[in-house]
């Protein structure tokens, strides 16, 4: 396919997070797969229906029995489960052997005490494109909470050795009950660690502080957890789904409008980087220039969403400061 280089200028950048800066899709899909198993629905359907949307909106749809006053807690527990799926392999599974000498920063996230699923395999055919990353980096995860799983001893070179009963379980200090649910065992046997996407670090390093923000459909627990796991410090303007100033989430433009306002710019003077159809539509509705990335969806899934430019990933984007504005070159 023939490529060309296009240029444009903007005052500031509004980044989506997952699928744009980070790749935590395996953990996210596993978490929604668990929700699907808990409510007896097809994981592939639930996963496809939840992409690019706020957990609060998705839980309200799939778990309507959750009372409004309990929804914030439900969202936090769900997002903790994403981080558990992301960390379990390197903390409690085979990755803990290869990374045993690695010092990892504390996340401050407690292991979620969710209900036991009767179907511990939460994998489903992904509706998104395969991750472009194949080489696994050392674990960026950390211990979750001492009251849940202190450690799991695993023998052999692959998987959990159930026949020898080598799992060392811990008891909840308050209930005395075994806290190692089946979904936790499955989580520890599959590497779903959060990755930074290609070209992200170089592009972010080229943008001056105060000139970029993150606007994500994830709430604060998940958003800050993902960013810090790949070495990205959440910028001062990080708009998360639980921000009470938001009236609606993507595909409404509200997250990007709020992010631009907090930076001190009109959204029309900003550029949005997005990967999901709902996020691309939100960026277009905000009036910003929109660059769509083919990091999570095939091109044909996003090419009719209104983006001004479509690129493979951030390696196709360069930024330079010229006269106080940001000049972008994109390879499309």
């Amino acid at each position: 396919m023939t490529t060309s280089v296009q240029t444009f200028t903007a005052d500031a950048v509004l980044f989506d997070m997952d699928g744009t800066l980070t790749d935590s899709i395996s953990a996210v899909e596993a978490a929604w797969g668990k929700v699907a198993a808990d409510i007896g629905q097809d994981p592939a359907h639930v996963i496809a229906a939840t992409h690019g949307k706020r957990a609060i909106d998705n839980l309200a749809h799939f778990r309507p029995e959750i009372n409004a006053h309990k929804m914030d807690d439900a969202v936090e527990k769900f997002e903790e489960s994403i981080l558990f799926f992301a960390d379990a392999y390197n903390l409690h599974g085979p990755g803990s052997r290869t990374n045993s000498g690695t010092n990892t920063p504390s996340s401050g996230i407690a292991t979620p005490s969710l209900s036991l699923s009767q179907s511990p395999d939460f994998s489903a055919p992904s509706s998104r494109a395969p991750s472009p990353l194949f080489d696994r980096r050392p674990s960026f995860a950390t211990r979750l909470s001492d009251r849940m799983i202190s450690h799991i001893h695993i023998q052999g070179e692959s998987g959990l050795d159930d026949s020898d009963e080598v799992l060392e379980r811990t008891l909840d200090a308050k209930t005395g009950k075994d806290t190692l649910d089946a979904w936790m065992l499955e989580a520890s046997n599959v590497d779903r660690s959060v990755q930074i996407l290609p070209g992200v670090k170089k592009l972010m390093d080229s943008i001056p502080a105060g000139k970029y923000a993150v606007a994500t459909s994830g709430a604060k627990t998940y958003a800050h957890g993902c960013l810090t796991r790949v070495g990205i410090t959440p910028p001062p303007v990080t708009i998360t789904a639980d921000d009470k100033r938001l009236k609606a989430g993507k595909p409404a433009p509200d997250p990007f409008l709020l992010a631009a306002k907090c930076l001190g710019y009109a959204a029309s003077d900003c550029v949005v980087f997005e990967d999901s159809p709902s996020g691309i539509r939100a960026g277009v509705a905000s009036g910003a220039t929109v660059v769509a990335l083919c990091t999570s969806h095939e091109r044909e899934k996003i090419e009719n969403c209104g983006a001004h430019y479509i690129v493979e990933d951030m390696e196709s984007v360069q930024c330079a400061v010229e006269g106080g504005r940001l000049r972008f070159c994109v390879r499309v």
Side-chain angles (χ1 to χ4, degrees):
M1 183 174 64
T2 303
T3 62
S4 63
V5 176
Q6 304 289 325
T7 62
F8 63 90
T9 59
D11 285 328
V13 184
L14 310 177
F15 290 111
D16 171 51
M17 186 190 71
D18 198 35
T20 298
L21 302 178
T22 64
D23 177 9
S24 64
I25 188 58
S26 293
V28 171
E29 291 190 344
W32 283 119
K34 181 187 183 303
V35 171
D38 288 344
I39 63 177
Q41 291 202 25
D42 176 22
H45 167 68
V46 174
I47 289 168
T50 54
H51 279 161
K53 301 175 184 177
R54 300 185 301 174
I56 188 172
D57 297 327
N58 290 327
L59 288 175
H61 176 74
F62 287 106
R63 298 290 303 274
E65 76 280 4
I66 300 176
N67 294 328
H69 69 279
K70 294 183 178 179
M71 184 57 76
D72 285 348
D73 287 342
V75 169
E76 183 174 6
K77 288 181 179 179
F78 171 75
E79 296 204 339
E80 286 173 357
S81 77
I82 297 175
L83 298 178
F84 185 92
F85 275 112
D87 294 344
Y89 180 88
N90 284 319
L91 290 180
H92 312 299
S96 64
R97 296 196 303 275
T98 58
N99 297 320
S100 60
T102 302
N103 293 323
T104 57
S106 174
S107 67
I109 301 300
T111 300
S113 53
L114 304 181
S115 60
L116 171 65
S117 170
Q118 297 303 313
S119 177
D121 183 2
F122 305 109
S123 300
S126 176
S127 61
R128 305 177 85 173
S131 169
L133 302 178
F134 297 98
D135 295 329
R136 289 294 182 183
R137 57 179 171 73
S139 172
F140 219 103
T142 185
R143 292 181 303 169
L144 300 182
S145 174
D146 290 342
R147 69 180 177 82
M148 294 297 290
I149 307 171
S150 62
H151 59 281
I152 302 175
H153 292 309
I154 300 178
Q155 295 179 347
E157 290 300 316
S158 63
L160 299 170
D161 190 348
D162 292 329
S163 61
D164 290 339
E165 296 183 352
V166 296
L167 304 177
E168 180 174 332
R169 304 180 175 195
T170 63
L171 300 180
D172 186 282
K174 293 183 178 179
T175 66
K177 294 181 179 179
D178 191 342
T179 60
L180 197 59
D181 286 349
W183 72 272
M184 296 179 182
L185 292 176
E186 190 276 342
S188 68
N189 203 30
V190 179
D191 188 355
R192 299 184 176 97
S193 54
V194 183
Q195 308 289 315
I196 190 168
L197 285 166
V200 167
K201 186 178 187 305
K202 182 178 180 181
L203 180 62
M204 294 189 77
D205 286 347
S206 69
I207 304 172
K211 286 280 193 176
Y212 67 92
V214 170
T216 174
S217 293
K220 186 175 181 179
T221 295
Y222 164 53
H224 285 241
C226 280
L227 292 172
T228 56
R229 277 163 172 74
V230 298
I232 298 175
T233 300
V237 178
T238 298
I239 307 301
T240 56
D242 47 354
D243 192 311
K244 300 305 181 185
R245 295 171 292 179
L246 292 176
K247 293 183 178 180
K250 304 171 188 177
D254 301 39
F256 292 126
L257 292 173
L258 179 58
K261 180 180 179 180
C262 291
L263 286 176
Y265 300 103
S268 58
D269 293 324
C270 297
V271 56
V272 163
F273 287 91
E274 260 285 1
D275 69 297
S276 72
S278 63
I280 294 167
R281 293 188 179 99
V284 172
S286 76
T289 298
V290 178
V291 178
L293 301 134
C294 299
T295 48
S296 63
H297 292 75
E298 296 176 354
R299 182 177 288 261
E300 55 264 30
K301 300 290 186 181
I302 61 174
E303 62 184 359
N304 295 319
C305 295
H308 300 84
Y309 307 97
I310 301 178
V311 301
E312 290 304 308
D313 54 38
M314 292 293 196
E315 290 188 334
S316 300
V317 182
Q318 293 182 339
C319 177
V321 180
E322 292 186 1
R325 300 202 82 204
L326 305 176
R327 181 178 178 84
F328 291 90
C329 295
V330 294
R331 187 172 65 252
V332 298

